[in-house]
Amino acid sequence: SLVCRLTQWSVPMLVNQSPVEYLMSPAGVTIFAGLVAFLAILIVWLEVSPIERQEEEEICNMAEAAPGKEEEFRSTNQTAFVVGYTGETGRALVEELVNRNIFQKVILIGRRELNYEGEKYDKLEQKVVDYEKLDDHSDLFRRHSVGFCCLGTTRGKAGVEGFKRV
């Protein structure tokens, strides 16, 4: 039977080797690696609380419901702000927001203005701020339905200190 074969195989391994020698053997290393992987998965699973799991499910539900919410946003005169709209991600987001025409107004908050020409950009309003004195501009972030943050940089562009500050 299988139990007899396993016993015949494993008993001589344990009898002929010390525990350290067994752990250093290919079979021992495989068993040890499996145990470590199991413990890592168990620890990760235990660290995610039921509340976090519920939040993850809610986020997925929000994403699934999003396409149906566009018309609701259009009809209720929602507004949005975008921080970091001059970068690549921010520009793509602004184009998406303009093309979908979801918001009554979109406030673009950044260090400089960009040139937006054309009727489709009429709902955009650009505000130049000093990120070192952001508290002076706190009113720009109030009374909006949605906020988007697209801030980002690289160490090459901003240096180490600038990268940390962003």
Side-chain angles (χ1 to χ4, degrees), residues 1-12:
S1 79
L2 181 61
V3 173
C4 291
R5 283 190 214 137
L6 287 175
T7 306
Q8 290 170 353
W9 176 80
S10 62
V11 171

Side-chain angles (χ1 to χ4, degrees), residues 4 31 37 54 56 58 75 83 98 109 124 136 139 162 164:
C4 291
I31 291 170
Q54 182 180 358
E56 288 175 9
E58 288 173 4
S75 66
V83 178
V98 166
I109 302 170
L124 300 180
D136 296 347
D139 57 312
K164 288 178 185 177

Side-chain angles (χ1 to χ4, degrees), residues 71-110:
E71 193 54 45
E72 181 183 325
F73 268 68
R74 283 187 197 99
S75 66
T76 55
N77 297 322
Q78 305 286 325
T79 63
F81 70 83
V82 179
V83 178
Y85 70 97
T86 60
E88 206 167 321
T89 303
R91 288 179 195 219
L93 173 64
V94 169
E95 283 301 314
E96 188 69 22
L97 294 175
V98 166
N99 290 336
R100 287 181 179 244
N101 194 25
I102 300 170
F103 298 99
Q104 177 188 9
K105 182 172 33 171
V106 178
I107 305 296
L108 305 176
I109 302 170

Side-chain angles (χ1 to χ4, degrees), residues 10-146:
S10 62
V11 171
M13 291 291 291
L14 292 174
V15 171
N16 296 333
Q17 293 179 321
S18 71
V20 173
E21 289 174 330
Y22 181 74
L23 280 176
M24 299 306 266
S25 72
V29 169
T30 303
I31 291 170
F32 183 72
L35 180 62
V36 169
F38 171 77
L39 289 174
I41 292 168
L42 181 64
I43 289 169
V44 169
W45 185 80
L46 290 174
E47 284 182 352
V48 178
S49 70
I51 292 172
E52 290 173 332
R53 286 189 203 107
Q54 182 180 358
E55 288 173 354
E56 288 175 9
E57 290 174 11
E58 288 173 4
I59 289 171
C60 291
N61 291 340
M62 288 171 49
E64 291 169 1
K69 295 290 184 182
E70 286 187 21
E71 193 54 45
E72 181 183 325
F73 268 68
R74 283 187 197 99
S75 66
T76 55
N77 297 322
Q78 305 286 325
T79 63
F81 70 83
V82 179
V83 178
Y85 70 97
T86 60
E88 206 167 321
T89 303
R91 288 179 195 219
L93 173 64
V94 169
E95 283 301 314
E96 188 69 22
L97 294 175
V98 166
N99 290 336
R100 287 181 179 244
N101 194 25
I102 300 170
F103 298 99
Q104 177 188 9
K105 182 172 33 171
V106 178
I107 305 296
L108 305 176
I109 302 170
R111 292 175 292 148
R112 61 188 168 89
E113 287 189 5
L114 294 181
N115 189 17
Y116 288 108
E117 293 181 11
E119 192 175 310
K120 77 177 195 175
Y121 298 107
D122 287 348
K123 294 182 179 186
L124 300 180
E125 188 177 322
Q126 297 184 70
K127 301 291 183 178
V128 176
V129 299
D130 180 356
Y131 284 117
E132 301 298 323
K133 300 176 183 174
L134 211 49
D135 288 340
D136 296 347
H137 308 284
S138 62
D139 57 312
L140 293 176
F141 299 92
R142 293 192 178 110
R143 296 177 296 280
H144 294 287
S145 311
V146 178

